[in-house]
PDB file of all heavy atoms in Angstrom:
ATOM      1  N   ARG A 517     -23.958 -67.960  35.026  1.00 96.00           N
ATOM      2  CA  ARG A 517     -25.026 -68.059  34.034  1.00 96.00           C
ATOM      3  C   ARG A 517     -24.510 -67.737  32.632  1.00 96.00           C
ATOM      4  O   ARG A 517     -24.784 -66.695  32.066  1.00 96.00           O
ATOM      5  CB  ARG A 517     -26.172 -67.126  34.405  1.00 96.00           C
ATOM      6  CG  ARG A 517     -26.913 -67.502  35.679  1.00 96.00           C
ATOM      7  CD  ARG A 517     -27.634 -68.846  35.546  1.00 96.00           C
ATOM      8  NE  ARG A 517     -28.529 -68.876  34.395  1.00 96.00           N
ATOM      9  CZ  ARG A 517     -29.791 -68.443  34.436  1.00 96.00           C
ATOM     10  NH1 ARG A 517     -30.282 -67.947  35.565  1.00 96.00           N
ATOM     11  NH2 ARG A 517     -30.552 -68.512  33.361  1.00 96.00           N
ATOM     12  N   SER A 518     -23.755 -68.671  32.072  1.00 95.00           N
ATOM     13  CA  SER A 518     -23.230 -68.477  30.715  1.00 95.00           C
ATOM     14  C   SER A 518     -24.351 -68.260  29.705  1.00 95.00           C
ATOM     15  O   SER A 518     -24.189 -67.517  28.729  1.00 95.00           O
ATOM     16  CB  SER A 518     -22.394 -69.690  30.301  1.00 95.00           C
ATOM     17  OG  SER A 518     -21.219 -69.780  31.068  1.00 95.00           O
ATOM     18  N   ASP A 519     -25.498 -68.901  29.943  1.00 96.00           N
ATOM     19  CA  ASP A 519     -26.623 -68.750  29.028  1.00 96.00           C
ATOM     20  C   ASP A 519     -27.121 -67.310  28.996  1.00 96.00           C
ATOM     21  O   ASP A 519     -27.464 -66.786  27.928  1.00 96.00           O
ATOM     22  CB  ASP A 519     -27.760 -69.691  29.432  1.00 96.00           C
ATOM     23  CG  ASP A 519     -28.242 -69.454  30.866  1.00 96.00           C
ATOM     24  OD1 ASP A 519     -27.414 -69.125  31.745  1.00 96.00           O
ATOM     25  OD2 ASP A 519     -29.456 -69.589  31.116  1.00 96.00           O
ATOM     26  N   MET A 520     -27.129 -66.640  30.154  1.00 97.00           N
ATOM     27  CA  MET A 520     -27.567 -65.251  30.206  1.00 97.00           C
ATOM     28  C   MET A 520     -26.580 -64.335  29.489  1.00 97.00           C
ATOM     29  O   MET A 520     -26.981 -63.371  28.820  1.00 97.00           O
ATOM     30  CB  MET A 520     -27.756 -64.805  31.652  1.00 97.00           C
ATOM     31  CG  MET A 520     -28.925 -65.465  32.365  1.00 97.00           C
ATOM     32  SD  MET A 520     -29.106 -64.902  34.087  1.00 97.00           S
ATOM     33  CE  MET A 520     -29.519 -63.170  33.825  1.00 97.00           C
ATOM     34  N   TRP A 521     -25.288 -64.625  29.625  1.00 98.00           N
ATOM     35  CA  TRP A 521     -24.276 -63.831  28.910  1.00 98.00           C
ATOM     36  C   TRP A 521     -24.485 -63.940  27.404  1.00 98.00           C
ATOM     37  O   TRP A 521     -24.472 -62.934  26.686  1.00 98.00           O
ATOM     38  CB  TRP A 521     -22.873 -64.290  29.296  1.00 98.00           C
ATOM     39  CG  TRP A 521     -22.436 -63.748  30.613  1.00 98.00           C
ATOM     40  CD1 TRP A 521     -22.646 -64.296  31.842  1.00 98.00           C
ATOM     41  CD2 TRP A 521     -21.714 -62.530  30.835  1.00 98.00           C
ATOM     42  NE1 TRP A 521     -22.110 -63.488  32.828  1.00 98.00           N
ATOM     43  CE2 TRP A 521     -21.530 -62.405  32.236  1.00 98.00           C
ATOM     44  CE3 TRP A 521     -21.201 -61.541  30.006  1.00 98.00           C
ATOM     45  CZ2 TRP A 521     -20.858 -61.328  32.810  1.00 98.00           C
ATOM     46  CZ3 TRP A 521     -20.524 -60.467  30.572  1.00 98.00           C
ATOM     47  CH2 TRP A 521     -20.365 -60.368  31.955  1.00 98.00           C
ATOM     48  N   LEU A 522     -24.706 -65.156  26.931  1.00 97.00           N
ATOM     49  CA  LEU A 522     -24.947 -65.347  25.497  1.00 97.00           C
ATOM     50  C   LEU A 522     -26.194 -64.606  25.042  1.00 97.00           C
ATOM     51  O   LEU A 522     -26.202 -63.959  23.993  1.00 97.00           O
ATOM     52  CB  LEU A 522     -25.076 -66.837  25.182  1.00 97.00           C
ATOM     53  CG  LEU A 522     -23.774 -67.617  25.015  1.00 97.00           C
ATOM     54  CD1 LEU A 522     -24.052 -69.108  24.944  1.00 97.00           C
ATOM     55  CD2 LEU A 522     -23.027 -67.161  23.770  1.00 97.00           C
ATOM     56  N   ASP A 523     -27.267 -64.693  25.825  1.00 97.00           N
ATOM     57  CA  ASP A 523     -28.517 -64.024  25.464  1.00 97.00           C
ATOM     58  C   ASP A 523     -28.321 -62.516  25.363  1.00 97.00           C
ATOM     59  O   ASP A 523     -28.825 -61.875  24.433  1.00 97.00           O
ATOM     60  CB  ASP A 523     -29.599 -64.335  26.502  1.00 97.00           C
ATOM     61  CG  ASP A 523     -30.124 -65.760  26.390  1.00 97.00           C
ATOM     62  OD1 ASP A 523     -29.856 -66.408  25.361  1.00 97.00           O
ATOM     63  OD2 ASP A 523     -30.787 -66.217  27.339  1.00 97.00           O
ATOM     64  N   LYS A 524     -27.599 -61.923  26.317  1.00 98.00           N
ATOM     65  CA  LYS A 524     -27.417 -60.476  26.311  1.00 98.00           C
ATOM     66  C   LYS A 524     -26.490 -60.028  25.178  1.00 98.00           C
ATOM     67  O   LYS A 524     -26.697 -58.970  24.580  1.00 98.00           O
ATOM     68  CB  LYS A 524     -26.875 -59.999  27.661  1.00 98.00           C
ATOM     69  CG  LYS A 524     -27.852 -60.157  28.807  1.00 98.00           C
ATOM     70  CD  LYS A 524     -29.198 -59.503  28.517  1.00 98.00           C
ATOM     71  CE  LYS A 524     -30.164 -59.675  29.669  1.00 98.00           C
ATOM     72  NZ  LYS A 524     -31.535 -59.191  29.331  1.00 98.00           N
ATOM     73  N   ILE A 525     -25.469 -60.824  24.881  1.00 98.00           N
ATOM     74  CA  ILE A 525     -24.594 -60.485  23.756  1.00 98.00           C
ATOM     75  C   ILE A 525     -25.408 -60.489  22.461  1.00 98.00           C
ATOM     76  O   ILE A 525     -25.314 -59.569  21.636  1.00 98.00           O
ATOM     77  CB  ILE A 525     -23.403 -61.455  23.651  1.00 98.00           C
ATOM     78  CG1 ILE A 525     -22.508 -61.348  24.894  1.00 98.00           C
ATOM     79  CG2 ILE A 525     -22.580 -61.139  22.399  1.00 98.00           C
ATOM     80  CD1 ILE A 525     -21.457 -62.434  24.987  1.00 98.00           C
ATOM     81  N   ARG A 526     -26.206 -61.525  22.285  1.00 97.00           N
ATOM     82  CA  ARG A 526     -27.058 -61.607  21.085  1.00 97.00           C
ATOM     83  C   ARG A 526     -28.034 -60.427  21.039  1.00 97.00           C
ATOM     84  O   ARG A 526     -28.300 -59.868  19.971  1.00 97.00           O
ATOM     85  CB  ARG A 526     -27.820 -62.928  21.075  1.00 97.00           C
ATOM     86  CG  ARG A 526     -26.938 -64.158  20.831  1.00 97.00           C
ATOM     87  CD  ARG A 526     -27.767 -65.405  20.609  1.00 97.00           C
ATOM     88  NE  ARG A 526     -26.929 -66.559  20.385  1.00 97.00           N
ATOM     89  CZ  ARG A 526     -26.805 -67.587  21.231  1.00 97.00           C
ATOM     90  NH1 ARG A 526     -27.494 -67.587  22.373  1.00 97.00           N
ATOM     91  NH2 ARG A 526     -26.009 -68.596  20.966  1.00 97.00           N
ATOM     92  N   TYR A 527     -28.572 -60.063  22.193  1.00 98.00           N
ATOM     93  CA  TYR A 527     -29.492 -58.937  22.263  1.00 98.00           C
ATOM     94  C   TYR A 527     -28.793 -57.642  21.846  1.00 98.00           C
ATOM     95  O   TYR A 527     -29.363 -56.820  21.116  1.00 98.00           O
ATOM     96  CB  TYR A 527     -30.034 -58.819  23.683  1.00 98.00           C
ATOM     97  CG  TYR A 527     -31.033 -57.710  23.889  1.00 98.00           C
ATOM     98  CD1 TYR A 527     -32.316 -57.815  23.360  1.00 98.00           C
ATOM     99  CD2 TYR A 527     -30.699 -56.561  24.597  1.00 98.00           C
ATOM    100  CE1 TYR A 527     -33.244 -56.803  23.545  1.00 98.00           C
ATOM    101  CE2 TYR A 527     -31.615 -55.537  24.781  1.00 98.00           C
ATOM    102  CZ  TYR A 527     -32.890 -55.672  24.258  1.00 98.00           C
ATOM    103  OH  TYR A 527     -33.805 -54.659  24.428  1.00 98.00           O
ATOM    104  N   CYS A 528     -27.564 -57.485  22.283  1.00 98.00           N
ATOM    105  CA  CYS A 528     -26.784 -56.305  21.900  1.00 98.00           C
ATOM    106  C   CYS A 528     -26.531 -56.278  20.402  1.00 98.00           C
ATOM    107  O   CYS A 528     -26.608 -55.215  19.758  1.00 98.00           O
ATOM    108  CB  CYS A 528     -25.451 -56.278  22.650  1.00 98.00           C
ATOM    109  SG  CYS A 528     -25.601 -55.958  24.430  1.00 98.00           S
ATOM    110  N   VAL A 529     -26.211 -57.418  19.828  1.00 98.00           N
ATOM    111  CA  VAL A 529     -25.980 -57.495  18.378  1.00 98.00           C
ATOM    112  C   VAL A 529     -27.250 -57.141  17.615  1.00 98.00           C
ATOM    113  O   VAL A 529     -27.220 -56.375  16.639  1.00 98.00           O
ATOM    114  CB  VAL A 529     -25.498 -58.904  17.979  1.00 98.00           C
ATOM    115  CG1 VAL A 529     -25.407 -59.035  16.456  1.00 98.00           C
ATOM    116  CG2 VAL A 529     -24.146 -59.221  18.612  1.00 98.00           C
ATOM    117  N   ASP A 530     -28.380 -57.666  18.059  1.00 98.00           N
ATOM    118  CA  ASP A 530     -29.644 -57.504  17.336  1.00 98.00           C
ATOM    119  C   ASP A 530     -30.307 -56.145  17.565  1.00 98.00           C
ATOM    120  O   ASP A 530     -31.226 -55.773  16.833  1.00 98.00           O
ATOM    121  CB  ASP A 530     -30.626 -58.603  17.747  1.00 98.00           C
ATOM    122  CG  ASP A 530     -30.191 -59.982  17.278  1.00 98.00           C
ATOM    123  OD1 ASP A 530     -29.385 -60.048  16.329  1.00 98.00           O
ATOM    124  OD2 ASP A 530     -30.630 -60.978  17.873  1.00 98.00           O
ATOM    125  N   MET A 531     -29.880 -55.395  18.561  1.00 98.00           N
ATOM    126  CA  MET A 531     -30.532 -54.136  18.917  1.00 98.00           C
ATOM    127  C   MET A 531     -30.476 -53.132  17.765  1.00 98.00           C
ATOM    128  O   MET A 531     -29.459 -53.011  17.085  1.00 98.00           O
ATOM    129  CB  MET A 531     -29.846 -53.550  20.158  1.00 98.00           C
ATOM    130  CG  MET A 531     -30.548 -52.352  20.751  1.00 98.00           C
ATOM    131  SD  MET A 531     -29.677 -51.759  22.239  1.00 98.00           S
ATOM    132  CE  MET A 531     -29.944 -53.129  23.353  1.00 98.00           C
ATOM    133  N   ASP A 532     -31.571 -52.399  17.593  1.00 97.00           N
ATOM    134  CA  ASP A 532     -31.586 -51.372  16.551  1.00 97.00           C
ATOM    135  C   ASP A 532     -31.221 -50.011  17.146  1.00 97.00           C
ATOM    136  O   ASP A 532     -31.009 -49.874  18.352  1.00 97.00           O
ATOM    137  CB  ASP A 532     -32.939 -51.331  15.841  1.00 97.00           C
ATOM    138  CG  ASP A 532     -34.100 -50.979  16.774  1.00 97.00           C
ATOM    139  OD1 ASP A 532     -33.860 -50.442  17.874  1.00 97.00           O
ATOM    140  OD2 ASP A 532     -35.257 -51.245  16.398  1.00 97.00           O
ATOM    141  N   GLU A 533     -31.175 -48.998  16.285  1.00 97.00           N
ATOM    142  CA  GLU A 533     -30.740 -47.664  16.691  1.00 97.00           C
ATOM    143  C   GLU A 533     -31.640 -47.059  17.762  1.00 97.00           C
ATOM    144  O   GLU A 533     -31.165 -46.486  18.739  1.00 97.00           O
ATOM    145  CB  GLU A 533     -30.694 -46.751  15.459  1.00 97.00           C
ATOM    146  CG  GLU A 533     -30.396 -45.296  15.737  1.00 97.00           C
ATOM    147  CD  GLU A 533     -28.926 -45.005  16.009  1.00 97.00           C
ATOM    148  OE1 GLU A 533     -28.127 -45.959  16.067  1.00 97.00           O
ATOM    149  OE2 GLU A 533     -28.582 -43.818  16.152  1.00 97.00           O
ATOM    150  N   ALA A 534     -32.951 -47.184  17.596  1.00 97.00           N
ATOM    151  CA  ALA A 534     -33.886 -46.562  18.538  1.00 97.00           C
ATOM    152  C   ALA A 534     -33.730 -47.141  19.942  1.00 97.00           C
ATOM    153  O   ALA A 534     -33.669 -46.405  20.932  1.00 97.00           O
ATOM    154  CB  ALA A 534     -35.318 -46.738  18.049  1.00 97.00           C
ATOM    155  N   ALA A 535     -33.672 -48.467  20.031  1.00 97.00           N
ATOM    156  CA  ALA A 535     -33.526 -49.113  21.332  1.00 97.00           C
ATOM    157  C   ALA A 535     -32.186 -48.779  21.957  1.00 97.00           C
ATOM    158  O   ALA A 535     -32.088 -48.558  23.178  1.00 97.00           O
ATOM    159  CB  ALA A 535     -33.688 -50.623  21.187  1.00 97.00           C
ATOM    160  N   TYR A 536     -31.140 -48.725  21.122  1.00 98.00           N
ATOM    161  CA  TYR A 536     -29.817 -48.427  21.668  1.00 98.00           C
ATOM    162  C   TYR A 536     -29.743 -47.006  22.215  1.00 98.00           C
ATOM    163  O   TYR A 536     -29.189 -46.771  23.292  1.00 98.00           O
ATOM    164  CB  TYR A 536     -28.713 -48.626  20.621  1.00 98.00           C
ATOM    165  CG  TYR A 536     -27.374 -48.230  21.194  1.00 98.00           C
ATOM    166  CD1 TYR A 536     -26.752 -49.020  22.148  1.00 98.00           C
ATOM    167  CD2 TYR A 536     -26.788 -47.006  20.859  1.00 98.00           C
ATOM    168  CE1 TYR A 536     -25.568 -48.629  22.736  1.00 98.00           C
ATOM    169  CE2 TYR A 536     -25.596 -46.614  21.438  1.00 98.00           C
ATOM    170  CZ  TYR A 536     -24.993 -47.436  22.384  1.00 98.00           C
ATOM    171  OH  TYR A 536     -23.829 -47.031  22.991  1.00 98.00           O
ATOM    172  N   LEU A 537     -30.286 -46.047  21.486  1.00 98.00           N
ATOM    173  CA  LEU A 537     -30.225 -44.666  21.941  1.00 98.00           C
ATOM    174  C   LEU A 537     -30.917 -44.495  23.290  1.00 98.00           C
ATOM    175  O   LEU A 537     -30.471 -43.713  24.131  1.00 98.00           O
ATOM    176  CB  LEU A 537     -30.842 -43.732  20.907  1.00 98.00           C
ATOM    177  CG  LEU A 537     -29.980 -43.441  19.671  1.00 98.00           C
ATOM    178  CD1 LEU A 537     -30.720 -42.534  18.695  1.00 98.00           C
ATOM    179  CD2 LEU A 537     -28.637 -42.821  20.079  1.00 98.00           C
ATOM    180  N   LYS A 538     -31.995 -45.236  23.508  1.00 98.00           N
ATOM    181  CA  LYS A 538     -32.667 -45.183  24.803  1.00 98.00           C
ATOM    182  C   LYS A 538     -31.730 -45.635  25.915  1.00 98.00           C
ATOM    183  O   LYS A 538     -31.677 -45.030  26.998  1.00 98.00           O
ATOM    184  CB  LYS A 538     -33.928 -46.049  24.785  1.00 98.00           C
ATOM    185  CG  LYS A 538     -35.065 -45.477  23.964  1.00 98.00           C
ATOM    186  CD  LYS A 538     -36.275 -46.384  24.013  1.00 98.00           C
ATOM    187  CE  LYS A 538     -37.425 -45.818  23.182  1.00 98.00           C
ATOM    188  NZ  LYS A 538     -38.608 -46.716  23.195  1.00 98.00           N
ATOM    189  N   MET A 539     -30.982 -46.710  25.660  1.00 98.00           N
ATOM    190  CA  MET A 539     -30.039 -47.215  26.667  1.00 98.00           C
ATOM    191  C   MET A 539     -28.873 -46.261  26.862  1.00 98.00           C
ATOM    192  O   MET A 539     -28.427 -46.025  27.995  1.00 98.00           O
ATOM    193  CB  MET A 539     -29.521 -48.597  26.272  1.00 98.00           C
ATOM    194  CG  MET A 539     -30.517 -49.718  26.445  1.00 98.00           C
ATOM    195  SD  MET A 539     -29.693 -51.355  26.493  1.00 98.00           S
ATOM    196  CE  MET A 539     -28.992 -51.326  28.146  1.00 98.00           C
ATOM    197  N   ALA A 540     -28.355 -45.712  25.782  1.00 98.00           N
ATOM    198  CA  ALA A 540     -27.223 -44.792  25.873  1.00 98.00           C
ATOM    199  C   ALA A 540     -27.605 -43.534  26.653  1.00 98.00           C
ATOM    200  O   ALA A 540     -26.844 -43.050  27.503  1.00 98.00           O
ATOM    201  CB  ALA A 540     -26.727 -44.421  24.484  1.00 98.00           C
ATOM    202  N   ILE A 541     -28.793 -43.012  26.386  1.00 98.00           N
ATOM    203  CA  ILE A 541     -29.284 -41.840  27.117  1.00 98.00           C
ATOM    204  C   ILE A 541     -29.482 -42.181  28.586  1.00 98.00           C
ATOM    205  O   ILE A 541     -29.135 -41.392  29.479  1.00 98.00           O
ATOM    206  CB  ILE A 541     -30.599 -41.333  26.484  1.00 98.00           C
ATOM    207  CG1 ILE A 541     -30.314 -40.731  25.105  1.00 98.00           C
ATOM    208  CG2 ILE A 541     -31.276 -40.305  27.382  1.00 98.00           C
ATOM    209  CD1 ILE A 541     -31.566 -40.447  24.296  1.00 98.00           C
ATOM    210  N   ALA A 542     -30.022 -43.370  28.859  1.00 98.00           N
ATOM    211  CA  ALA A 542     -30.229 -43.799  30.243  1.00 98.00           C
ATOM    212  C   ALA A 542     -28.907 -43.957  30.977  1.00 98.00           C
ATOM    213  O   ALA A 542     -28.798 -43.634  32.170  1.00 98.00           O
ATOM    214  CB  ALA A 542     -31.012 -45.107  30.267  1.00 98.00           C
TER     215      ALA A 542
END
């Protein structure tokens, strides 16, 4: 699923600090 890889990479690029900290803590 190359399309899913692209979507998640873009999501990682676009993520802000608040959303990222939630993932890092998790």
Side-chain angles (χ1 to χ4, degrees):
R517 293 295 305 274
S518 293
D519 58 325
M520 291 180 65
W521 281 88
L522 278 170
D523 287 346
K524 293 306 180 187
I525 296 170
R526 290 189 180 112
Y527 182 72
C528 291
V529 174
D530 292 339
M531 188 179 293
D532 62 18
E533 174 78 356
Y536 177 72
L537 284 178
K538 288 181 180 179
M539 286 199 75
I541 291 169

